[in-house]
Amino acid sequence: MAETGLARASFSGGAWADGSSWREVIRLLQQDGYNVTAPQFPLTSLTDDVARLRQVLSAQTGPTVVAGHSYGGQVMTALDEDAPSVVGLVYVAAFALDEGESIGEVLAAGEPTPAIAHLRIDDQGFAWLPQDDFVKHFAGDIDPVQANVMYSVQQPLSASALGEVMGTPAWRSTRTWYAVATNDEAIPPDIQRDFAKRMDATVTDVASGHLPIVSHPDEVADLITTAARSVPSERSRQ
């Protein structure tokens, strides 16, 4: 990595699957010399989650690529233009909203997807996935034994986060990459492609369900490495 001047990556995890879901991607990147962080988010509000991401970024020294999965894309997008250390954004089957949009609005435009069609909202206002939907649809291409473990440790998302409206998106001022999960049963692949197109993202298709960070870590790590190698060199020519 010495030729790029960048060896840092920070991961923005999604709802229901926490930072540990990135472990194989982390292992691959650390093997290549990256300094990687994958914080756990409170998932209590978008504001709280962005604050946690900023906390992590403030501890990084030098340019950093941020990768987000699912709701994690919402968190990194909400950094707006106030994240000077961030030189690239990698979306992995992730929300990439534009100004004025909310996750709920985007999802309501079509039929409920199988993975999130039966959210259970508890007395504290947090949304949980039922076991059957988690194992068969959210983690549908993952070994059922592993998927059931992931179900047991799922991190619920405050249901109010689905209605939070995006401000100025970070992708307007930062180069982007997008891994489209072509068999996703949580965020429809066509919506993912729409996100990528309007960001003018560099796109790669992954023959995966909603969790390519678990089922296809090599391809995800390759995309992050591609971002890390290209963005700093481009900026150095400016």
Side-chain angles (χ1 to χ4, degrees):
M1 302 310 300
E3 74 279 7
T4 70
L6 184 148
R8 299 166 187 85
S10 182
F11 295 154
S12 185
W16 305 299
D18 67 7
S20 67
S21 300
W22 291 89
R23 60 184 174 273
E24 279 303 306
V25 178
I26 292 170
R27 181 185 64 79
L28 291 167
L29 292 178
Q30 287 180 337
Q31 187 174 285
D32 282 346
Y34 283 89
N35 175 17
V36 184
T37 56
Q40 305 290 19
F41 290 91
L43 302 179
T44 47
S45 71
L46 182 58
T47 298
D48 292 343
D49 296 330
V50 173
R52 175 61 54 80
L53 181 54
R54 289 192 186 282
Q55 177 187 18
V56 170
L57 290 173
S58 69
Q60 300 276 40
T61 56
T64 302
V65 166
V66 181
H69 168 255
S70 196
Y71 170 74
Q74 171 87 330
V75 178
M76 68 183 192
T77 301
L79 287 169
D80 59 60
E81 297 176 338
D82 185 23
S85 66
V86 177
V87 295
L89 301 171
V90 180
Y91 291 82
V92 183
F95 289 101
L97 301 187
D98 203 349
E99 188 168 2
E101 293 180 341
S102 69
I103 291 176
E105 173 192 1
V106 170
L107 293 177
E111 293 295 320
T113 55
I116 57 175
H118 308 108
L119 292 177
R120 177 177 65 83
I121 312 299
D122 66 22
D123 293 341
Q124 286 74 46
F126 284 84
W128 300 77
L129 294 180
Q131 185 171 9
D132 207 46
D133 291 355
F134 190 106
V135 174
K136 293 182 178 179
H137 302 295
F138 188 80
D141 62 343
I142 296 171
D143 177 80
V145 173
Q146 183 180 2
N148 274 294
V149 171
M150 294 180 67
Y151 161 77
S152 296
V153 299
Q154 69 171 291
Q155 300 298 302
L157 174 69
S158 174
S160 64
L162 301 176
E164 296 201 48
V165 176
M166 181 58 62
T168 302
W171 52 259
R172 285 194 181 168
S173 57
T174 307
R175 189 176 169 189
T176 58
W177 286 257
Y178 202 111
V180 174
T182 60
N183 301 316
D184 199 327
E185 294 188 88
I187 305 175
D190 286 347
I191 290 180
Q192 296 180 40
R193 293 189 191 283
D194 287 344
F195 289 151
K197 182 178 180 179
R198 70 182 179 188
M199 293 190 297
D200 194 26
T202 300
V203 178
T204 185
D205 285 352
V206 182
S208 168
H210 185 58
L211 292 168
I213 58 176
V214 178
S215 60
H216 292 73
D218 290 24
E219 292 175 66
V220 173
D222 284 348
L223 184 61
I224 295 169
T225 299
T226 296
R229 286 175 173 167
S230 59
V231 177
S233 61
E234 287 187 357
R235 291 203 169 191
S236 67
R237 293 195 295 267
Q238 293 178 354

